[in-house]
């Protein structure tokens, strides 16, 4: 089915574009919200991502649905990173902090299976809130490392930082999360 959609999208078939969008919007939204917690900003990033996906489809070397999914995820991640870089420049230019609202859904198992942070007692919404409250650099490295499976070397190249910076950002993110989870546990007692 996806093979047929790809072929029809290459011919600029709007219905096929809509079908592909409906098939992957939830997954790609989840990826996007991990980097860009603001709903309105995430929607903008997703829109730009789909524009790039559809525009690039004619030159895509289609190798099956799994490869297509990974390619689309990479586009969303790259668009989210571009957005964060631009926002960082805007913050520096304006000299102000831009508020970030909470993220929507987050799988507790996604982080606790990969890291040693105790997340069992958290709801997905609480964990989302904690992750979204991390500084941009920490949150970005955490997402790339834990959810996208990038190595520190790949993260360093992608973000134009050193491997040490990537490692320290992940370490700092984990420390902040652990501290905030501990504080939340104390509040509940």
């Amino acid at each position: 089915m996806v093979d047929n959609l790809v072929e029809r999208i290459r011919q600029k078939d709007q219905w096929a574009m809509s079908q592909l969008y409906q098939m992957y919007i939830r997954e790609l939204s989840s990826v996007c919200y991990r980097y860009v917690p603001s709903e309105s900003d995430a929607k903008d990033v997703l829109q730009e991502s789909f524009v790039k996906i559809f525009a690039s489809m004619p030159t895509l070397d289609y190798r099956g649905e799994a490869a297509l999914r990974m390619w689309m995820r990479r586009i969303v991640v790259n668009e989210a990173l571009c957005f964060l870089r631009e926002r960082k420049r805007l913050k520096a230019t304006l000299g102000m902090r831009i508020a970030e609202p909470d993220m929507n859904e987050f799988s507790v198992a996604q982080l606790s299976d990969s890291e040693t942070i105790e997340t069992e007692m958290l709801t997905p919404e609480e964990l989302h809130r904690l992750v979204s409250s991390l500084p941009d650099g920490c949150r970005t490295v955490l997402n790339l490392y834990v959810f996208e499976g990038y190595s520190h070397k790949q993260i360093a190249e992608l973000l134009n930082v050193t491997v040490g910076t990537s490692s320290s950002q992940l370490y700092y993110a984990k420390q902040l999360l652990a501290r905030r989870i501990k504080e939340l546990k104390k509040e509940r007692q």
Side-chain angles (χ1 to χ4, degrees), residues 161-180:
V161 298
T162 66
V163 171
T165 298
S166 175
S167 296
S168 66
Q169 288 288 317
L170 179 63
Y171 175 80
Y172 186 55
K174 290 165 57 175
Q175 295 300 310
L176 279 172
L177 276 177
R179 184 177 337 133
R180 291 175 182 173

Side-chain angles (χ1 to χ4, degrees), residues 116-134:
T116 57
I117 299 170
E118 295 179 29
T119 59
E120 304 82 34
M121 51 77 73
L122 299 175
T123 66
E125 292 78 19
E126 289 170 326
L127 188 55
H128 243 303
R129 184 175 47 81
L130 293 175
V131 170
S132 69
S133 72
L134 293 173

Side-chain angles (χ1 to χ4, degrees), residues 3 10 60-68:
D3 300 2
R10 288 178 172 165
L60 174 68
D61 181 17
Y62 182 72
R63 297 180 183 200
E65 185 175 0
L68 176 69

Side-chain angles (χ1 to χ4, degrees), residues 70-178:
M70 293 309 295
W71 175 72
M72 290 190 303
R73 287 174 65 98
R74 266 194 317 274
I75 289 174
V76 172
V77 168
N78 288 337
E79 284 301 307
L81 294 177
C82 286
F83 169 82
L84 292 173
R85 281 187 210 108
E86 185 59 37
R87 184 172 72 177
K88 185 176 180 180
R89 280 192 287 275
L90 179 63
K91 281 186 200 179
T93 302
L94 299 176
M96 60 189 270
R97 175 161 164 57
I98 298 172
E100 298 176 352
D102 294 343
M103 298 164 83
N104 288 340
E105 290 184 21
F106 191 95
S107 170
V108 175
Q110 287 177 311
L111 185 60
S112 61
D113 289 348
S114 302
E115 304 299 323
T116 57
I117 299 170
E118 295 179 29
T119 59
E120 304 82 34
M121 51 77 73
L122 299 175
T123 66
E125 292 78 19
E126 289 170 326
L127 188 55
H128 243 303
R129 184 175 47 81
L130 293 175
V131 170
S132 69
S133 72
L134 293 173
D136 286 346
C138 293
R139 186 179 64 246
T140 301
V141 171
L142 177 83
N143 284 319
L144 290 169
Y145 187 84
V146 173
F147 300 107
E148 304 303 327
Y150 284 84
S151 68
H152 285 297
K153 182 179 178 191
Q154 292 169 315
I155 294 169
E157 290 170 3
L158 189 61
L159 300 179
N160 198 25
V161 298
T162 66
V163 171
T165 298
S166 175
S167 296
S168 66
Q169 288 288 317
L170 179 63
Y171 175 80
Y172 186 55
K174 290 165 57 175
Q175 295 300 310
L176 279 172
L177 276 177

